[in-house]
Amino acid sequence: MDLLPEIPLADWVDSFVHWITIHFQTFFSSLTQIIETLLDNLVKVLGMAPSLVLILLITILAWYTSRWTMGLFSLLGLLLVDNLGLWDATINTLALVLASVALTVIIGIPLGIWASQNDKVKQIITPILDFMQTMPAFVYLIPAILFFGIGVVPGILASVIFAVPPTIRLTILGIREVPTELIEASNAFGSTTWQRLFKVQLPLAAPTILAGINQSIMLALSMVVIASLVGAPGLGAEVYRAVSQIKVGAGFEAGLSIVIIAIILDRISQNLRKPVYGKTISKKYVYGLFAALLVIPYLVTSFGGNTTEKISPNNVGEQVQYEITGIDPGAGLMTATAKAMKDYNLKDWKLKEGSSAAMTAELQKAYEQKQPIIVTGWTPHWMFAKYKLKYLKDPKESFGKSESIHTIVRKGFKEDNPNAYKILDSFYWNPTDMEEVMVDIQNGAKPEEAAKKWVVHHPDIVKKWTQGVQKGNGQKVSLVYVAWESEIASTNVIGSVLKNQGYNVTLKQVEAGPMFAGVANGSADAMVAAWFPTTHKDYLNTYKNQLVDLGPNLKGTKLGLVVPEYMPINSISDLENK
């Protein structure tokens, strides 16, 4: 028995984030617009010339800073990336990293200088840096989605939070390690604080500061895959898509491209201060030329070609910026949505990739402010119980008819564990049952607690699943599931039932592709999360000879485009480009 009640820390944090989201929405919207505009212009500049031009420029810079061997590696590596069809994704990744590093330098170096000159500031900032470095990067994405929506902005800001500590720490370290004798000598000559800082401390601390920036570059690049979870484009999204679809080759290509970019950026940033050929050609001329090649086109792009179109309050497409908020790349729902966009001639529209969590966070943000939004949706889902939503009619039946959720087990499971097999084979419930568990989870209950509660309150249904089945004796049963709210509910419920029957149950949360692969290769025993015939069709086609389909455990699911009821549209045809 606990002596003290549980501290509602999660509720406090949720309330605080909700308060910030409401009261600072104008600021967040403005900041989002600024960062998106700056990044879009940077992407345009990097991609305005043929790929070979930028490849040659990067090769020249790598050669100048890090010897001819690095220049040759850069040339061959970037040509390979271009050949693999990943150049556009690479441009987006470079823009994301450059933007993140620019913000890191702007924030990190001044804070590092301040803390190096003031012991109290250092004492305050050090534990904050510890928190920033040790908190899992995924956690930063949760409030970032609510503040800035899905897209590249939360990815950049999460990257900055994750990458800025090394710059601050090494700036403090570099300045504080300047020999005391030199500081005393500068004071003896009557130097002011600013003169001492800029003429003595910073020049001597420059190698250490640049080492911090180099670390920040690597950390920012390591965030590109995580940033893809909230819709950031680039090589990270390619990796995420490959993981979710179990495409080893595509994942290797995207991963290799990230490695090539990482090596190039690492070597260039390490040698910026003392380039290998700096004595042959003065670095001020080389760096000045490269700066001009970046800054001048950027200014022209920023101020010369942008026109702002007036948004019509009656045009739904313009209100939502011609964007549909989607879920995981590679999900069957995303494939169906892409088909619908083609069927309904939505050629000017964009399907934003992200994750189911990012989609629901974006929906929550828009719904609370009565803003228009279009999302990819499915039922059962708790969002239909929490919000007043509606499906857009699909007269062309692009999303097909209703789906069923199936139970799948590995081959040989029936022989190895016949009684657990019977329970899984008998498992069947209705959408209202599932939604009951989902709502409890959404209201703050832990999934296992919500599942236990449902099992206790529905003994008649559970009895049908376990009737005539002998209890287990600690046999292991491994269940896998994708992190969709519906599958979290169903897997925890059947897991709770199996535990009550005497089985040692393990639940493993994975992506859709690994879920099917795990059951197919025998590393997992079963799943109750297979959506057929549309959502998981590709996975079934890939692994059908290695799986045993026990049939539906729930019928009556639905896929489609979902909007809040306050939006004055009723059909996907209303979005069609005329």
Side-chain angles (χ1 to χ4, degrees), residues 104 106-134 140 161 164-173 176:
T104 295
I106 292 171
I107 297 170
I109 292 181
L111 282 177
I113 293 173
W114 188 22
S116 70
Q117 307 295 311
N118 190 310
D119 288 335
K120 289 185 177 179
V121 173
K122 182 175 181 293
Q123 292 173 359
I124 294 172
I125 206 171
T126 298
I128 296 175
L129 295 178
D130 294 337
F131 179 88
M132 293 167 66
Q133 284 189 293
T134 54
Y140 301 137
I161 294 172
V164 76
T167 297
I168 298 175
R169 288 186 187 278
L170 290 179
T171 299
I172 297 172
L173 178 64
R176 286 184 174 249

Side-chain angles (χ1 to χ4, degrees), residues 9 27 32 49 63 72 76 96 136 150 177 182 184 225 243 304 325-326 342 352 370 380 386 408 466 497 550 553 567:
L9 182 59
F27 168 75
T32 299
W63 165 82
L72 180 61
L76 296 178
L96 188 150
I150 66 173
E177 284 193 341
L182 295 178
E184 292 175 350
V225 176
V243 170
T325 303
K342 183 177 180 180
K352 293 170 63 176
K370 299 299 180 184
K386 186 172 183 179
I408 304 289
T466 59
V497 172
L550 302 185
N553 59 60
M567 288 184 63

